[in-house]
Amino acid sequence: MATEPLITALVQHPCGESVEENLARSERGIRHAAHEGAALVLLQELHTTPYFCQTEEVRHFDRAEPVPGPTTERLGRLAAELGVVIVASLFERRGPGLHHNTAVVLERDGHIAGLYRKMHIPDDPGFHEKFYFAPGDLGFRPVETSVGRLGVLVCWDQWFPEAARLMALAGADLLLYPTAIGWDPRDDEEEQRRQFEAWQIVQRGHAVANGLPLLCCNRSGFEPDPSGCTAGIRFWGGSFASGPQGEMLAEACNDSEETLVVSIDTGRSSAVRRIWPFLRDRRVDAYGDIRHLWIDPHPPAEGD
Amino acid sequence: MATEPLITALVQHPCGESVEENLARSERGIRHAAHEGAALVLLQELHTTPYFCQTEEVRHFDRAEPVPGPTTERLGRLAAELGVVIVASLFERRGPGLHHNTAVVLERDGHIAGLYRKMHIPDDPGFHEKFYFAPGDLGFRPVETSVGRLGVLVCWDQWFPEAARLMALAGADLLLYPTAIGWDPRDDEEEQRRQFEAWQIVQRGHAVANGLPLLCCNRSGFEPDPSGCTAGIRFWGGSFASGPQGEMLAEACNDSEETLVVSIDTGRSSAVRRIWPFLRDRRVDAYGDIRHLWIDPHPPAEGD
């Protein structure tokens, strides 16, 4: 049972129109994290661009880039220079007319250790992701790295217990979520508080249910809606790390740039799974209906 | 979309050796709840007996009773007298040598509306349930009642997101957990706090992930370990109700008898599912591996 502490860092920042300035912010955070001893750095969702999904505009496809591509090469060089594993989040152009919301894991020698393509794609006012991103086709597979098997998921995935569970069953040592979520300024304070807490609770719940530590890195700053249809999004920051009992290990501020450095006790997960052996007791014989959207009391035809 | 408030109550109390006294405590709580206007009353797990699973002793099988049986008849009469739906939790003797940890839902006219047999059975020091209870064979089916479709689960089930999800997919309007969990007095204060919070968080996480309100009724009081092998269990009470965003609606004390009356806004769930349409976006095409205990990177033979 490993008991080495793993120093991790979450780099949270606002984004503007300039890719160069956004990447400079990410890079500043990564350098700071490495200086503090971090071996693993998690960046926020789509950290090189504004959150362009507030509107549906074909010109935004120009923002996409291939993987490997300019950003993975740049971050790969940085990973190698600093000797850190970096989890980046990009708008991937996979082919003409086929794009994904993709997390790329860069190994500390700079090579691409693996990809995760966002599986659950939202579509709500201000979050028109179904227009831009094809749902991922890689399933829920952790990426093997020098710092462990990384169960990388992206934003909307964080509301789905199935995603966290499948990563855990596939051997993830850690759950990681790059995210871009925030408040609708038109909601009242109570609703805003409920949403922020729900977002923390559901993820800490995944940590508990799977006995895994969890990192979540979220964007900060206000971004207006270019169409003027909504009041824009106030990204709520609040990046955090949770232990395998859902205990809050560290939490960033809500409203500005912050690099949160957190030490993870990598032996704790196995210890917690011994006192709470949930994986032993799963009723896999009775979970077949999870593969349905809804369970009709009188199904038209018998399946499983 | 229904918007009627549903008045619910959670009856939490310590249990001693006398079934008569334990049932009197449950009944006192039910009467108080009905007097306060409750239409639905949730009792704690195995509320008629001490938590006998601290040790493995064949004599404890004498505590089991059939369903229907003396307790369901008594509580059925009470349900009819007060016009309330009662969720009770019993040690069920189903046949010679076949016992379950069973929740029984009594309709407000006194008849049995349905059963749920605990699907996930724990076995840890102080919680030797695998000795007493055969795992349930009814699956995850809500019980149809005059106050809605009740997604009744029991204690250890509360750590398994699959259980809550399957109840939600089968149309549950509300998740309900009778439980009996507590502190090992030998754990330090920090571990005790982590465990209590993990227990709340994982359940509130189910509420969020499924957009459902949730009631959890837990036993209180200290019960010594008759074998002297452990330091006994200090049942932590803390019965609570959560809304469909995981927001805490009400919470009972940790250490004594309490009947917690909580009004549930039954229209809130549908409203929350409109702003957070998780059920729309589930990747049912990619969840097949949930039916495995572990996902081998190189499976010996291809299944699904």
Side-chain angles (χ1 to χ4, degrees):
Chain A
M1 198 185 298
T3 50
E4 287 277 297
L6 172 67
I7 315 287
T8 67
L10 316 178
V11 178
Q12 148 187 322
H13 58 77
C15 287
E17 195 51 48
S18 161
V19 170
E20 188 47 45
E21 281 172 27
N22 297 330
L23 265 169
R25 284 193 189 97
S26 299
E27 183 169 330
R28 186 161 63 229
I30 295 167
R31 288 188 180 278
H32 173 70
H35 185 261
E36 298 289 314
L40 170 64
V41 182
L42 174 64
L43 302 177
Q44 69 201 22
E45 187 182 18
L46 303 171
H47 54 94
T48 69
T49 64
Y51 185 70
F52 54 85
C53 313
Q54 287 201 64
T55 56
E56 300 190 353
E57 298 177 69
V58 290
R59 68 181 173 95
H60 288 315
F61 286 105
D62 291 341
R63 300 179 185 272
E65 57 174 304
V67 176
T71 301
T72 62
E73 272 157 33
R74 177 165 167 177
L75 291 174
R77 280 194 300 274
L78 188 63
E81 177 198 331
L82 302 172
V84 298
V85 173
I86 299 174
V87 180
S89 165
L90 302 172
F91 184 14
E92 180 192 4
R93 179 185 299 127
R94 190 176 179 188
L98 183 62
H99 302 80
H100 295 285
N101 185 326
T102 300
V104 184
V105 181
L106 299 149
E107 193 36 283
R108 60 180 171 195
D109 64 3
H111 86 269
I112 293 177
L115 302 184
Y116 169 77
R117 294 198 178 105
K118 187 172 183 174
M119 290 286 283
H120 299 95
I121 308 294
D123 196 285
D124 311 300
F127 296 82
H128 297 283
E129 297 199 14
K130 288 192 196 293
F131 178 70
Y132 295 104
F133 310 125
D137 60 346
L138 296 175
F140 304 96
R141 287 280 166 177
V143 176
E144 196 87 42
T145 74
S146 57
V147 295
R149 286 178 296 269
L150 305 186
V152 181
L153 296 160
V154 178
C155 205
W156 193 237
D157 292 321
Q158 70 203 171
W159 303 97
F160 297 82
E162 292 91 345
R165 177 66 96 201
L166 285 163
M167 281 294 185
L169 296 181
D173 296 313
L174 189 61
L175 297 172
L176 300 95
Y177 294 89
T179 78
I181 187 170
W183 289 296
D184 181 335
R186 298 166 301 183
D187 281 333
D188 65 31
E189 211 176 298
E190 213 178 308
E191 175 63 21
Q192 293 193 6
R193 188 181 42 74
R194 272 198 303 271
Q195 293 189 6
F196 179 71
E197 290 182 3
W199 173 78
Q200 287 189 333
I201 286 165
V202 77
Q203 291 179 84
R204 294 168 68 190
H206 302 328
V208 175
N210 296 291
L212 285 178
L214 182 151
L215 304 179
C216 172
C217 183
N218 188 44
R219 176 183 293 243
S220 62
F222 175 74
E223 297 184 27
D225 176 354
S227 74
C229 288
T230 74
I233 304 173
R234 192 151 65 86
F235 292 97
W236 63 45
S239 300
F240 69 92
S242 158
Q245 288 172 305
E247 71 276 26
M248 198 59 106
L249 299 176
E251 191 179 353
C253 67
N254 287 121
D255 46 15
S256 63
E257 190 163 338
E258 184 170 344
T259 293
L260 191 68
V261 178
V262 194
S263 176
I264 302 289
D265 175 352
T266 57
R268 183 75 190 146
S269 183
S270 301
V272 166
R273 283 184 179 180
R274 288 177 178 199
I275 63 162
W276 286 343
F278 308 141
L279 296 187
R280 179 194 66 192
D281 291 335
R282 295 177 63 245
R283 289 295 302 273
V284 293
D285 60 309
Y287 294 161
D289 281 345
I290 289 266
R291 294 173 310 152
H292 295 293
L293 288 176
W294 191 253
I295 304 168
D296 197 352
H298 306 292
E302 283 299 324
D304 328 289
Chain B
M1 199 184 295
T3 49
E4 285 277 296
L6 172 66
I7 315 286
T8 67
L10 315 177
V11 177
Q12 148 187 321
H13 58 76
C15 287
E17 195 49 50
S18 161
V19 170
E20 188 46 44
E21 281 172 27
N22 297 330
L23 264 169
R25 284 193 189 95
S26 299
E27 183 168 329
R28 187 161 63 229
I30 296 165
R31 288 189 181 279
H32 173 70
H35 184 260
E36 298 290 313
L40 170 64
V41 182
L42 175 62
L43 303 176
Q44 69 201 23
E45 187 181 18
L46 301 172
H47 55 92
T48 69
T49 65
Y51 185 69
F52 54 85
C53 312
Q54 286 202 64
T55 56
E56 300 191 353
E57 298 178 70
V58 289
R59 69 182 172 93
H60 288 317
F61 287 104
D62 290 340
R63 300 180 185 272
E65 56 175 304
V67 176
T71 301
T72 61
E73 271 156 34
R74 177 165 165 176
L75 291 174
R77 280 193 300 274
L78 189 62
E81 178 197 331
L82 302 171
V84 297
V85 173
I86 298 173
V87 180
S89 166
L90 301 171
F91 184 13
E92 180 192 3
R93 179 185 298 127
R94 190 176 180 188
L98 182 63
H99 302 78
H100 294 285
N101 185 327
T102 300
V104 183
V105 181
L106 299 149
E107 194 35 282
R108 62 180 169 195
D109 64 3
H111 87 269
I112 294 177
L115 302 185
Y116 169 77
R117 294 197 178 106
K118 188 173 183 173
M119 290 286 283
H120 299 95
I121 308 293
D123 195 286
D124 311 301
F127 296 84
H128 297 283
E129 296 198 17
K130 288 193 196 292
F131 178 70
Y132 295 105
F133 310 125
D137 61 347
L138 296 175
F140 304 97
R141 287 281 166 176
V143 176
E144 196 87 42
T145 74
S146 57
V147 294
R149 286 178 296 270
L150 306 185
V152 181
L153 295 160
V154 178
C155 205
W156 192 237
D157 292 320
Q158 67 203 173
W159 303 98
F160 298 82
E162 292 91 344
R165 177 66 96 203
L166 285 163
M167 280 295 185
L169 296 181
D173 296 312
L174 188 62
L175 297 172
L176 301 95
Y177 294 90
T179 79
I181 188 169
W183 289 297
D184 181 336
R186 297 166 304 183
D187 282 332
D188 65 31
E189 210 174 300
E190 212 178 309
E191 175 64 21
Q192 293 193 7
R193 189 181 41 75
R194 272 198 303 271
Q195 293 190 5
F196 179 71
E197 289 182 5
W199 172 78
Q200 287 189 332
I201 287 166
V202 78
Q203 292 178 84
R204 293 168 68 191
H206 302 328
V208 175
N210 296 291
L212 285 178
L214 182 151
L215 304 179
C216 172
C217 183
N218 187 44
R219 176 183 291 243
S220 61
F222 175 74
E223 297 184 27
D225 176 354
S227 74
C229 289
T230 75
I233 304 172
R234 192 151 66 86
F235 292 97
W236 64 42
S239 301
F240 68 93
S242 158
Q245 287 171 304
E247 72 276 25
M248 197 59 105
L249 299 176
E251 192 178 353
C253 65
N254 286 121
D255 46 14
S256 62
E257 190 163 338
E258 184 171 343
T259 294
L260 190 69
V261 178
V262 194
S263 177
I264 302 288
D265 175 352
T266 57
R268 184 76 190 145
S269 182
S270 301
V272 166
R273 284 183 177 181
R274 288 178 178 199
I275 62 161
W276 287 342
F278 309 141
L279 296 187
R280 178 195 67 192
D281 291 336
R282 294 177 65 245
R283 288 296 302 272
V284 293
D285 60 309
Y287 294 160
D289 280 346
I290 289 265
R291 295 171 309 151
H292 295 294
L293 287 176
W294 192 253
I295 303 169
D296 198 353
H298 307 290
E302 283 300 325
D304 329 292

